[in-house]
Amino acid sequence: MKRSLTTVGKPSTPRKKKAKVETSHQSSLDTFFGSPGQKRPGASSGKGKAKLSAGITPVVSELTALERDEAYARALAEQDGLTPEVLLNLEQRASQKAAIPTMSGQPEVIDVDLLDDDDEQPVAGPSKPYTAGTSLLGKPSSSTSSQPPSRKITKPPFSNEIATKSAPTYIPLSIDPTAYDLDGLDWSPNAPIPYSFLTHTLSSFSETRSRIAILNTLTNCLRSISRYHPPSLLPSLYLLSNSLSPPYSPLELGLGHAIISKAIQQVSGLTSAALKRLYTTTGDPGDVAYEAKSNVRTLIPHPPLLITGVYDSLLKIARAQGQGATKQKQAIVEKLLVAARGEEIRYLVRTLCQNLRVGAVRTSILTALSRAMVLTPPSLLSEGIPDTSPFRISPELLSTVKPLPSNSKKKTSDTARDELNEIFTKAEALIKKIYVQRPNYDHLASALLEAALDGLTERLPLTVGIPLLPTLGSPTRSLDEIYDRLGLLPFAAEFKYDGQRAQIHATRTEGQSLKIKLFSRHLEDMTDKYPDVCTLVNTILLQSPNVQSFIIDSEIVAVDPNDGSLKTFQELSNRARKDVQLGEVKVSVCVFAFDLMYLNGEILLEKAFRERRTLLRSQLPPIIPTQKGAARFDHVQSCESEDGREAVEEFWQMAVNSRTEGLMIKLLDSGEVLQEPTAGKDKIRRKPLPATYEPDKRTSAWLKLKKDYVIGLGDSLDLVPIGAWHGNGRKANWWSPILLALWDPDAGKLVAVCKCMSGFTDVFYKGLNERYPLGSDTCAQEPCWDLECDTGGLRPEVYFKPQEVWEIRGADVTISPVSKAAFGLVSKTRGLSLRFPRFIKVREDKGIENASTPQFLANMWESQQGQGKDRGGVDEGELVDVIEVGETDIEEELSE
């Protein structure tokens, strides 16, 4: 069994140990250089242990701590050839309960039995043994004797490697994949991949904003891992995406920042105050750990961390439960930090904090994975890729592709590359289609390694119990716009209920037992949250003997239990979230079903909405259960365009007057619409509009018409708070104004659009301070999160972690020289902003990627211009048209 000894950090094995004395680094030095005969904290008796050479007592009483350190180092070095660096290792070991020579005349020992057991340490490779004629640093000894030093230690030698300077180097990954040399890594086949290679990939991301370079880096990384060690592919996908498991899995890291902070203290020897000063300077826990460990040296060199080992350690942390879970988690974190080197330290801590800052988004990972599988088919395949495969690239074709620089944006004439890109496109479409129907990297990686791209469809079909990503609707602002976009194609208008979207899976097993799962819009498993809905689904299956299994899309809405009338979303949000018992349900709900994606083993995604809706209504009729507390089941209230525009307009007024958010407009049958000629083109284009269910797509076949989107009811956007300034006057202790941003799906980043300081209550401000306290993991002086935020010409005093979506209403959309939102869509030199923005509410049902887009803002501008509402003119610099002066809140007056 291996044992490791580190500079600082407590053993995690259940050995009998002496009580540890908490001391600062300086107090340890002072104690170490105490008066002769003074016993140091943690010193062992030395009975029965291998003894060190005789103690040394240099004259140090009138020297400073640093001078005493140097004097003792020289004295000890003169005795047996040890360098000052090794002495510093010995001094630092005092906090680990291993004995170090005192200044008394009596020798002390190193108790090797107190060293950690590393049977669970995620590292590999033997430590370098001691050989005669070398110093304990592995360098030629200054002694002329051929005998080893007099310190008889049977463990591996000490090392004065500085942690942040000992990581290996790798070839660049951002080069064109066709020119990437897989053999340049010099790895052994089937040998586990070092974690440093993954951190090299992540570090490469931070050096560029080029999408081409990022995709090249990801592709080459995954190709290398897939070829040399396929078992490392799955952990790599999760570590790159800053996750541990599928989104519907209940597995969470559950690692508090206090544990991470204590682990860094143990490993670095720094005090809590010192770490806080580092965090104030750097603003990032990963940078803090990197700096804290920059001068830490290990007594025994640790083998490298492995990708599989790091991921397994994270799983152990996530699964740790019980009374001793906190200590167990901290021990695992300490072991990882002790073994980490160089950039590993930075990205390991960021992973532990679940904030990589440069993590790859899902689309990029899937794109890179598909390209990697095309260029480097898995080595686990028992048979090669068949010549008839649409994803096969012949060596002859690959050899004729001209490599491109990673930052090249110019299109060159290359027939071979065009052919390669066509294959890439097919592979990307396949993997993305499979993933949105089955968002599970475990299943995807396993299927790819076993059957490559050709076998994915058969191996990974849509399955009951595994959620698919939902179809999303595109916002519109009026019924006129809807008729313009859909032309004469028939559509259904449905109430857009103000509730929680739910994807319901149900199936009968062979023993007639039932399995039921409920998933949220973000695929979180919320089965335990709605026992009343589970009871309802059980009733549906019992009353419908012809239905064996189904997947439906629905909205769970709070209702009056007596008459079924609608209630607000706020009342629904008052329900408990976990482990709810049926008898404890106080807010009754109704499940309004609006789509059917799977029925009795048949996948319905490719069928038109009209057919899916007919099956839903015929096979799953409405139910009002008699059991107390059980939920209701009904179909969404709807109206069809075939009934005439007058009927649709009347239905719209019903939605406006009811407790709904508006309407959802859904194309009933697939068709085509005519589009006007664009700039530089004189032909009318035909745009196909499929009425199929499109997972994870904001399709034009689904349009949403919300009350707040409609002209005459006020302009509304869904924006993300990304930063703030310190308030003035009465708001001096609060964040005000708040910088808000749009979500740009093409660039994969947030773009600032306006500052908002109106519509907030004092209670909301206080809650905002609690959610975004300065110096926490949600509020920092520099942006330090995965999502890139383009703040344009403004620099907020603090940055918020993008995690909320707010509904904001404004007076006008205005052209701004500061904002980058919708840049180029309306003006070639300026972006758009919102005048007089006012906070409406927090959209708890929406994620960051569901926020309003630059195109939506541009559409608002164009509609405003068409209505002659160009009152705002041009925003001359600020992203907000109100300011605070002393104790007066001018925005209150302006808003009225």
Side-chain angles (χ1 to χ4, degrees), residues 732-747:
N733 295 324
W734 297 330
W735 298 126
S736 181
I738 312 298
L739 185 61
L740 302 172
L742 297 163
W743 169 250
D744 187 342
D746 295 331

Side-chain angles (χ1 to χ4, degrees), residues 705-722:
L705 180 63
K706 296 180 63 175
K707 298 176 184 179
D708 295 332
Y709 289 168
V710 177
I711 299 170
L713 295 176
D715 299 326
S716 175
L717 296 99
D718 295 325
L719 304 178
V720 180
I722 60 171

Side-chain angles (χ1 to χ4, degrees), residues 439-458:
N440 187 313
Y441 283 135
D442 298 72
H443 300 167
L444 184 60
S446 176
L448 284 172
L449 294 176
E450 293 175 3
L453 294 164
D454 296 271
L456 281 186
T457 304
E458 293 75 19

Side-chain angles (χ1 to χ4, degrees), residues 373-662:
M373 292 298 106
V374 169
L375 293 170
T376 310
S379 58
L380 294 182
L381 291 176
S382 58
E383 299 179 0
I385 304 297
D387 295 338
T388 57
S389 170
F391 309 109
R392 184 180 182 276
I393 295 181
S394 64
E396 295 77 18
L397 173 64
L398 201 57
S399 63
T400 57
V401 177
K402 301 175 183 177
L404 294 175
S406 59
N407 58 351
S408 174
K409 295 183 179 180
K410 296 182 179 180
K411 293 184 178 180
T412 59
S413 177
D414 188 349
T415 304
R417 180 167 293 278
D418 292 341
E419 188 175 344
L420 175 63
N421 288 336
E422 288 181 7
I423 299 176
F424 280 166
T425 301
K426 293 178 183 178
E428 292 164 20
L430 174 64
I431 281 191
K432 290 176 181 178
K433 178 181 178 181
I434 294 297
Y435 184 86
V436 297
Q437 296 183 26
R438 198 182 181 110
N440 187 313
Y441 283 135
D442 298 72
H443 300 167
L444 184 60
S446 176
L448 284 172
L449 294 176
E450 293 175 3
L453 294 164
D454 296 271
L456 281 186
T457 304
E458 293 75 19
R459 289 172 177 263
L460 302 179
L462 181 66
T463 304
V464 177
I466 300 178
L468 65 156
L469 294 167
T471 295
L472 306 174
S474 300
T476 56
R477 290 169 50 84
S478 68
L479 284 174
D480 289 335
E481 181 181 347
I482 290 172
Y483 277 98
D484 289 341
R485 295 176 67 169
L486 297 183
L488 300 177
L489 297 178
F491 63 82
E494 301 177 343
F495 275 174
K496 188 180 189 306
Y497 294 95
D498 191 11
Q500 182 172 20
R501 192 166 180 177
Q503 191 179 122
I504 302 177
H505 294 234
T507 184
R508 304 178 199 262
T509 61
E510 293 181 359
Q512 293 300 306
S513 60
L514 306 179
K515 290 187 177 180
I516 301 169
K517 283 289 185 180
L518 278 68
F519 302 99
S520 71
R521 175 179 185 165
H522 304 293
L523 308 190
E524 297 171 353
D525 190 337
M526 54 181 189
T527 308
D528 293 340
K529 180 180 178 180
Y530 290 105
D532 45 347
V533 176
C534 293
T535 302
L536 167 68
V537 176
N538 184 61
T539 302
I540 292 174
L541 289 175
L542 291 177
Q543 294 185 6
S544 305
N546 295 329
V547 177
Q548 299 297 318
S549 59
F550 63 78
I551 300 175
I552 62 174
D553 211 345
S554 65
E555 192 86 6
I556 298 178
V557 185
V559 297
D560 188 306
N562 298 316
D563 58 10
S565 58
L566 303 180
K567 292 188 176 183
T568 63
F569 175 78
Q570 283 69 27
E571 293 183 69
L572 179 67
S573 63
N574 290 332
R575 287 178 55 123
R577 296 175 180 265
K578 294 182 179 180
D579 301 324
V580 181
Q581 301 299 318
L582 185 60
E584 300 173 354
V585 174
K586 297 181 180 179
V587 180
S588 299
V589 299
C590 179
V591 177
F592 289 98
F594 56 79
D595 214 328
L596 181 65
M597 298 91 83
Y598 183 97
L599 180 66
N600 294 338
E602 182 182 4
I603 300 174
L604 307 176
L605 301 183
E606 298 299 324
K607 294 186 179 297
F609 176 59
R610 188 191 297 274
E611 185 175 353
R612 301 199 307 272
R613 188 181 64 163
T614 300
L615 285 171
L616 172 65
R617 293 180 175 181
S618 61
Q619 297 296 320
L620 302 171
I623 292 179
I624 301 179
T626 57
Q627 183 177 354
K628 184 180 179 181
R632 297 170 176 242
F633 181 79
D634 203 350
H635 305 129
V636 295
Q637 192 170 346
S638 64
C639 171
E640 296 188 14
S641 62
E642 295 166 331
D643 296 334
R645 177 157 181 164
E646 184 177 343
V648 175
E649 291 179 350
E650 183 179 347
F651 189 70
W652 161 245
Q653 289 302 321
M654 289 176 57
V656 171
N657 297 329
S658 64
R659 287 186 173 178
T660 66
E661 292 186 317

